[in-house]
Amino acid sequence: MSPALLIALRFLGARKRAMLMSLTGIVFGVAFFVITQAQTAGFEAYFIKTILGVNGMVRIEDRIQSTRAMTATEGSSFAIAVEGSVKYIPGVQHAKAVTDALKGFPEVTAASPVIRGNATLIANFREYDTKPYGIDLGTFLNVSDLETQIIDGSMKAFGESPYALIVGSRIAKRMNLQVGDSVLLDGAGEPQRFRVAAVFETGIDQVDRERVYLHLPAIRTLLNKPTGASFIQLNLLDPELAPALAPRIQEALGHSTMAWQEREKTWLQVFSVLRISSALTISTIIFISGLGMFNTLVMIVVDKTREIAILRSMGYTRADISRIFMLQGGIVVALGVTLGCAAAALGTYTLSHIPIRIRGIFASDHFVVLWDPWHYVAAAVIATVVVLIASYFPSRRAARLEPGAVIRGSSS
Amino acid sequence: MSLLRVEDLHRHLGEGDTRCHALRGVSFTIEPGRTYAIAGHSGSGKSTLLYLIGLLDIPDAGSIWVGDRETSRLTDDERTAVRNEHMGFVFQFHFLLKEFTALENVMLPMRKLGRLSEEAMRAKAADLLGAVGLGDKTRRLGTQLSGGEQQRVAIARALANDPGLILADEPTGNLDHANADRVFALLSDIAHQRGQALLMVSHNPELAHRCDHVFRMQDGVILP
Ligand SMILES: Nc1ncnc2c1ncn2[C@@H]1O[C@H](COP(=O)(O)OP(=O)(O)OP(=O)(O)O)[C@@H](O)[C@H]1O
Ligand SMILES: [Mg+2]
């Protein structure tokens, strides 16, 4: 063991209680930092997983047309929005052509056309406004997690009947619907009779409250839309590819294309603000421990002024003295980070088993956590930087002591 | 070649109104194996001289030769290394590190020098403590020793790296008559036996006279 380390350890022992306070602060700071990050990041990741499973990674929607070409569709009922020199024509008229063109994008692993509309659901003598989604079952399961969202009934029953319906959990509850019940949907055309094949729950309130899934051919008659699609939902190799890919598809296909990051910007911002603010809040615990550490080290320097002088007189250099005090900080932070990370892992594990019912933006029955080594690294870096800065000034002060002056002062 | 030679040392202390010319041209030489006392009235500059020789302070003018090396203008780290290897200090107060046992205190200068193994350092420290009559108290903390015993530990510590020169500033100033006598006898015996030089500031004329040579100081100069 180096003499500096030996002396550092003994000096630490001289202020055991104050050092234990700083150590405890660092342990708690590191642990809380990691736990809050694991939790906020966990909820964020779970939210992303949920919305990707519900609304997909990328959606190709309205056709974009420059105003120059507007004359072609002028007067048509489709032309509604004019934005600058660009006009949007709702929906994807030539879904097949678009889907074929997507073969030129190897990042796209699946594409599914969807028709979206409005219809009134009538059952048990009550009416309820819904947003029917006409899906192509074969491809839609590749661009969503619909299959895992089923909480009652079965996907198979839906697949077997052309007039089957999957209703959102909150619709089912409000309308008192059971699997097997018969309902009427009233869209743009004639009201049609459907049978409830399954109930789904995404946890996203708005979706569970208004969405019903039916087969594409059925919605065409229901809404009187013989051709086209409202949008095409895509699945990619990696959700992170979406922001770069969406503009390329939009450029190439002439359809407004939006990545999930863009679509869910508001919520993603809420999550990141939450995460940053909790990181800052918790960091104050570490900062305060750093202040305590600073205080304690200054006290030790004052306390040990004569000892420092005698060490200098017997041959310890300024750097040695500085090292003795930096090492005290180093020992405390190393111990604090180690214990803090262990406590964090334990706390995160425990938290993930605490029951809590969450519905609204996703569905979970317990705390959601994300195990991310970077949370531990970040906490360790913050604690280390804080403590090393807190140790630097006392150590510099100790190193600057003039042994002659100190000894002269205490002899006379 | 002499062990240590100082030439025309000058030192001013203090700032502004309190500034005073504490050393006004001091020169002498020190030979190995001999004991020297610095005597003089309070404020005559004895401690100032001792700290300069111990390289704990820098003279305003003059030179300090340790062997054939002029040391007064070395860097702080170089002077520190010279102290570590060639000088041992005993002050009026013992300055033991109270978190360390007597043995560990004596080992501190050896650890810094780093020439011996842990085992050899232990054995040597135990020997030195034996030589100052504390062979049975090596494991005591400083706080568990009497004032005289603590001062003897400090002497053992000053001897740890076999320095050529032992510098002592009123090493007995804090001790009663019997202990003072014992500590002085120890220092001068060890110096004679080991061929080390002892330079000791003392107010005690009796002890000063038992040294091989006495420098009398007055107002910052050594009287002839
Ligand atoms: N920091 C200082 N500022 C100004 N003058 C000082 C300072 N320290 C010491 N002096 C003066 O320098 C002179 C020499 O002091 P020094 O400590 O060397 O005396 P000394 O001979 O060791 O005295 P004593 O026997 O009391 O220890 C004294 O006149 C003292 O007043
Ligand atoms: Mg003095």
Side-chain angles (χ1 to χ4, degrees):
Chain A
M1 195 189 306
S2 84
L5 182 57
L6 181 74
I7 297 168
L9 282 169
R10 297 289 172 91
F11 279 8
L12 274 181
R15 287 273 177 179
K16 222 173 285 165
R17 195 141 24 122
M19 280 299 172
L20 276 177
M21 292 284 284
S22 301
L23 177 68
T24 311
I26 292 165
V27 171
F28 274 102
V30 167
F32 282 144
F33 184 94
V34 172
I35 291 170
T36 52
Q37 290 301 297
Q39 188 219 307
T40 47
F43 280 135
E44 181 178 7
Y46 196 69
F47 166 74
I48 291 171
K49 182 178 150 30
T50 303
I51 59 111
L52 290 183
V54 174
N55 290 333
M57 296 184 189
V58 172
R59 277 184 179 182
I60 300 174
E61 302 186 70
D62 306 349
R63 187 146 79 90
I64 303 170
Q65 210 170 39
S66 65
T67 34
R68 201 175 296 256
M70 209 169 104
T71 39
T73 44
E74 192 116 52
S76 134
S77 63
F78 287 126
I80 46 159
V82 178
E83 201 175 277
S85 62
V86 170
K87 185 173 69 170
Y88 292 91
I89 302 160
V92 184
Q93 262 310 305
H94 305 287
K96 179 80 174 64
V98 168
T99 316
D100 285 346
L102 285 171
K103 297 214 164 72
F105 295 90
E107 301 95 324
V108 179
T109 57
S112 183
V114 177
I115 295 177
R116 178 178 45 191
N118 292 294
T120 307
L121 187 147
I122 305 153
N124 305 325
F125 309 108
R126 275 185 293 168
E127 296 192 350
Y128 191 96
D129 287 334
T130 64
K131 290 210 179 335
Y133 272 54
I135 57 169
D136 168 46
L137 188 57
T139 54
F140 192 72
L141 293 184
N142 296 330
V143 299
S144 77
D145 291 337
L146 181 57
E147 203 153 11
T148 60
Q149 290 156 5
I150 301 295
I151 55 168
D152 198 7
S154 76
M155 209 70 212
K156 189 161 164 284
F158 177 71
E160 280 166 357
S161 157
Y163 289 98
L165 208 59
I166 307 177
V167 299
S169 59
R170 302 195 62 139
I171 302 175
K173 199 164 175 198
R174 282 282 281 282
M175 297 296 286
N176 201 14
L177 293 178
Q178 308 287 336
V179 169
D181 283 359
S182 172
V183 300
L184 272 180
L185 274 182
D186 188 1
E190 283 284 296
Q192 288 187 340
R193 187 154 292 280
F194 289 88
R195 194 168 288 278
V196 176
V199 178
F200 73 86
E201 183 185 63
T202 62
I204 303 175
D205 222 44
Q206 206 193 343
V207 173
D208 296 342
R209 207 171 48 208
E210 60 184 27
R211 196 178 291 187
V212 300
Y213 289 105
L214 50 156
H215 292 288
L216 260 184
I219 204 167
R220 287 200 192 283
T221 27
L222 179 72
L223 301 178
N224 201 8
K225 259 194 182 163
T227 60
S230 306
F231 59 85
I232 295 174
Q233 188 159 317
L234 307 185
N235 193 58
L236 311 182
L237 285 172
D238 179 344
E240 296 310 317
L241 296 172
L245 184 65
R248 282 173 49 217
I249 294 178
Q250 172 163 328
E251 180 72 16
L253 273 55
H255 278 270
S256 153
T257 305
M258 207 186 262
W260 63 272
Q261 288 92 337
E262 176 77 17
R263 189 180 69 214
E264 309 293 344
K265 203 153 71 188
T266 320
W267 275 112
L268 293 177
Q269 259 164 9
V270 168
F271 276 110
S272 79
V273 165
L274 211 66
R275 209 157 44 138
I276 292 166
S277 78
S278 79
L280 289 179
T281 313
I282 302 297
S283 296
T284 55
I285 301 181
I286 300 177
F287 285 127
I288 289 167
S289 316
L291 274 182
M293 185 86 204
F294 171 81
N295 243 330
T296 311
L297 284 174
V298 169
M299 282 194 295
I300 295 180
V301 172
V302 172
D303 233 34
K304 302 290 181 192
T305 300
R306 296 161 142 220
E307 282 87 345
I308 293 165
I310 197 75
L311 284 168
R312 293 278 287 118
S313 80
M314 69 172 77
Y316 287 82
T317 61
R318 288 189 197 281
D320 290 326
I321 302 298
S322 165
R323 202 168 299 134
I324 286 169
F325 285 88
M326 290 305 287
L327 275 171
Q328 294 184 54
I331 292 163
V332 170
V333 79
L335 216 64
V337 165
T338 310
L339 293 176
C341 285
L346 198 72
T348 307
Y349 179 81
T350 311
L351 190 68
S352 69
H353 286 75
I354 292 179
I356 175 178
R357 192 182 148 81
I358 305 168
R359 296 293 183 277
I361 54 170
F362 50 73
S364 178
D365 294 317
H366 51 83
F367 270 93
V368 187
V369 299
L370 181 77
W371 293 90
D372 185 346
W374 286 108
H375 297 155
Y376 294 78
V377 172
V381 166
I382 292 173
T384 307
V385 168
V386 166
V387 170
L388 289 188
I389 291 174
S391 315
Y392 172 74
F393 294 97
S395 85
R396 199 176 59 165
R397 178 169 166 177
R400 283 185 176 174
L401 284 177
E402 281 298 338
V406 172
I407 291 166
R408 175 190 283 278
S410 46
S411 323
S412 55
Chain B
M1 187 177 50
S2 56
L3 179 69
L4 182 120
R5 182 161 54 91
V6 300
E7 262 174 31
D8 199 29
L9 285 183
H10 285 264
R11 182 74 172 113
H12 296 264
L13 288 172
E15 300 286 321
D17 283 353
T18 65
R19 186 169 165 87
C20 83
H21 201 167
L23 288 185
R24 306 160 181 255
V26 173
S27 309
F28 60 78
T29 53
I30 285 180
E31 305 297 333
R34 290 174 62 82
T35 58
Y36 300 81
I38 306 176
H41 293 299
S42 181
S44 57
K46 304 183 295 293
S47 296
T48 307
L49 176 61
L50 196 86
Y51 295 149
L52 282 180
I53 292 172
L55 309 185
L56 292 168
D57 194 8
I58 299 170
D60 298 323
S63 48
I64 302 163
W65 297 79
V66 176
D68 54 0
R69 192 171 181 203
E70 212 287 299
T71 56
S72 62
R73 307 273 175 313
L74 296 179
T75 66
D76 192 78
D77 281 359
E78 288 166 334
R79 284 186 288 130
T80 303
V82 174
R83 284 202 299 272
N84 183 232
E85 197 172 348
H86 300 291
M87 295 176 186
F89 292 89
V90 184
F91 299 105
Q92 183 174 0
F93 296 96
H94 51 79
F95 294 121
L96 295 184
L97 271 61
K98 60 176 181 289
E99 292 80 22
F100 291 76
T101 64
L103 193 80
E104 289 168 332
N105 266 288
V106 176
M107 287 164 75
L108 283 171
M110 306 185 204
R111 287 193 190 282
K112 177 58 199 170
L113 192 61
R115 290 202 183 139
L116 298 177
S117 69
E118 181 78 18
E119 277 319 300
M121 286 193 284
R122 253 172 214 292
K124 184 170 180 188
D127 270 359
L128 287 168
L129 284 170
V132 299
L134 291 171
D136 54 343
K137 292 178 178 169
T138 58
R139 309 209 155 272
R140 299 262 188 110
L141 294 173
T143 47
Q144 299 163 333
L145 294 167
S146 75
E149 287 170 338
Q150 291 178 14
Q151 195 61 309
R152 281 186 274 151
V153 175
I155 291 172
R157 182 178 64 189
L159 299 170
N161 287 340
D162 298 316
L165 178 61
I166 299 160
L167 296 167
D169 192 356
E170 297 181 42
T172 62
N174 230 15
L175 304 176
D176 62 34
H177 189 274
N179 262 313
D181 206 67
R182 177 151 193 211
V183 162
F184 173 75
L186 200 62
L187 275 171
S188 88
D189 288 353
I190 285 171
H192 286 129
Q193 279 165 25
R194 301 179 179 229
Q196 290 162 317
L198 169 68
L199 180 62
M200 178 184 77
V201 171
S202 183
H203 269 136
N204 184 332
E206 190 218 325
L207 294 184
H209 278 106
R210 284 161 64 183
C211 287
D212 300 331
H213 189 89
V214 181
F215 298 117
R216 306 209 155 275
M217 282 199 80
Q218 194 177 328
D219 295 332
V221 291
I222 289 180
L223 298 175

